[in-house]
């Protein structure tokens, strides 16, 4: 998937990437880390009553030129454009969120990037306990430290690959997926559901996450959390103060 208005130099500038970008593993890791720290995972458009656009050119305009963020299809979509520009083979996979109390459809998007014959799961849009760097698909049942977080890939009872994150000392399954290749258009129904369904988390409340070197900053509803080196502090945010918080902590401006 590519957009006519996508420019690799403009994207690299947006994520504050310095140096030469190459189709290799160090670049893949660095791109993901830089984007996570520069482009917030956010649902401001949904909260404004809009259906998120999956038109590639709209995603470039929003994230690169207007310096906004987006949710999984948008932030993984712009990452995909960068991989394509660099010549890194990759494909989309559809994942089933598994932290809900009821079974959910496969509404989440992930990316499998192939570098030097090895497949890596890249995901820049899963919110609070999302990956901080690529993780090898063939490394199952092995704890993978990433900064102050720990992740692990395993297999579910039905044979899906599952991503687990250690949350407050306990393993929590985040989502499950298989390696079936998905097309960009395959995510249109899930995007519409996440933008409009009254039970979708993005419709129900603000969700904004920005990675930092030491952890994450998270706005969930009216609660602002800062996670640093595994420790969490939080405070409640009044609706009247939300715009200032988004601007100061996440670099986001809500258009009038």
């Amino acid at each position: 998937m590519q957009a006519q208005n996508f420019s690799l130099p403009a994207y690299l500038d947006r994520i504050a990437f310095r140096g030469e970008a190459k189709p290799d593993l160090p670049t893949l890791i660095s791109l993901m880390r830089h984007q996570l720290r520069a482009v917030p995972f956010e649902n401001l458009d949904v909260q404004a009553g809009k259906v998120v656009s999956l038109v590639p050119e709209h995603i470039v305009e929003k994230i690169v030129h207007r310096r906004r963020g987006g949710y999984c299809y948008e932030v993984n979509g712009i990452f995909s454009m960068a991989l394509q520009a660099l010549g890194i083979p990759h494909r989309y996979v559809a994942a089933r969120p598994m932290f809900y109390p009821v079974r959910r459809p496969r509404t989440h998007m992930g990316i499998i990037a192939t570098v030097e014959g090895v497949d890596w799961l890249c995901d820049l849009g899963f919110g609070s306990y999302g990956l901080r760097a690529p993780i090898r698909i063939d490394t199952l049942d092995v704890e993978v430290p990433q900064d102050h977080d720990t992740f692990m890939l395993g297999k579910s009872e039905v044979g899906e690959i599952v991503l687990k994150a250690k949350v407050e000392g306990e393993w929590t399954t985040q989502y499950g997926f298989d390696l079936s290749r998905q097309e960009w258009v395959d995510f249109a129904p899930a995007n519409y559901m996440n933008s409009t369904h009254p039970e979708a988390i993005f419709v129900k409340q603000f969700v904004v996450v920005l990675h930092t070197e030491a952890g994450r900053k998270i706005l969930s509803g009216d609660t602002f959390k800062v996670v640093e080196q595994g420790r969490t502090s939080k405070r409640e945010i009044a609706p009247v103060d939300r715009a200032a918080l988004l601007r100061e902590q996440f670099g986001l401006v809500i258009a009038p």
Side-chain angles (χ1 to χ4, degrees):
M1 188 270 291
Q2 196 55 278
Q4 292 185 354
N5 60 343
F6 180 81
S7 161
L8 183 61
Y11 166 80
L12 296 178
D13 182 69
R14 170 70 177 93
I15 66 171
F17 182 95
R18 303 292 180 259
E20 184 181 359
K22 302 177 181 179
D24 57 19
L25 183 58
T27 296
L28 181 71
I29 295 171
S30 187
L31 281 181
M32 183 167 168
R33 284 189 173 277
H34 276 78
Q35 183 177 318
L36 284 170
R37 295 175 186 177
V39 179
F41 173 85
E42 50 103 335
N43 68 332
L44 269 59
D45 283 354
V46 176
Q47 284 292 301
K50 303 175 183 177
V51 175
V52 167
S53 174
L54 295 189
V55 175
E57 287 76 12
H58 293 174
I59 294 174
V60 173
E61 174 65 23
K62 178 180 179 179
I63 293 178
V64 176
H65 300 299
R66 290 195 283 126
R67 306 186 71 83
R68 284 279 307 280
Y71 62 12
C72 69
Y73 318 112
E74 300 168 285
V75 293
N76 281 330
I78 199 78
F79 190 72
S80 168
M81 295 182 204
L83 297 184
Q84 182 168 325
L86 287 169
I88 296 178
H90 62 284
R91 62 187 184 275
Y92 306 119
V93 293
R96 186 189 316 281
M98 300 179 73
F99 56 83
Y100 290 96
V102 296
R103 190 166 177 81
R104 299 292 295 268
R106 293 183 178 183
T107 56
H108 181 61
M109 170 193 283
I111 292 176
I112 305 296
T114 304
V115 179
E116 298 177 358
V118 178
D119 287 342
W120 298 82
L121 173 63
C122 302
D123 188 358
L124 299 91
F126 200 68
S128 298
Y129 290 99
L131 291 171
R132 296 177 64 82
I135 186 170
R136 284 183 65 136
I137 288 293
D138 61 358
T139 305
L140 299 180
D141 301 319
V142 175
E143 294 191 15
V144 180
Q146 293 186 350
D147 304 326
H148 296 280
D149 292 328
T150 306
F151 300 93
M152 181 166 60
L153 293 175
K155 283 289 186 74
S156 71
E157 296 178 355
V158 297
E160 288 183 322
I161 299 172
V162 294
L163 174 67
K164 300 178 182 180
K166 188 168 282 188
V167 181
E168 297 180 355
E170 300 291 333
W171 286 109
T172 302
T173 301
Q174 302 300 296
Y175 56 75
F177 63 98
D178 60 36
L179 299 179
S180 301
R181 181 184 297 272
Q182 305 295 309
E183 297 182 28
W184 182 251
V185 70
D186 293 332
F187 294 97
N191 176 62
Y192 185 78
M193 186 187 106
N194 277 326
S195 287
T196 63
H197 196 287
E199 291 302 313
I201 185 65
F202 305 110
V203 175
K204 294 173 74 172
Q205 64 182 43
F206 281 90
V207 180
V208 187
V209 180
L210 184 65
H211 286 239
T212 66
E213 185 175 352
R216 300 172 180 82
K217 293 185 285 189
I218 304 165
L219 175 64
S220 178
D222 294 324
T223 302
F224 176 59
K225 302 178 184 179
V226 177
V227 181
E228 290 185 332
Q229 299 181 352
R231 296 184 294 272
T232 302
S233 61
K234 62 182 180 179
R235 58 187 170 94
E236 296 304 305
I237 301 298
V240 69
D241 297 325
R242 186 181 295 126
L245 177 84
L246 291 171
R247 182 179 62 255
E248 295 165 6
Q249 298 293 334
F250 300 97
L252 294 171
V253 177
I254 300 179

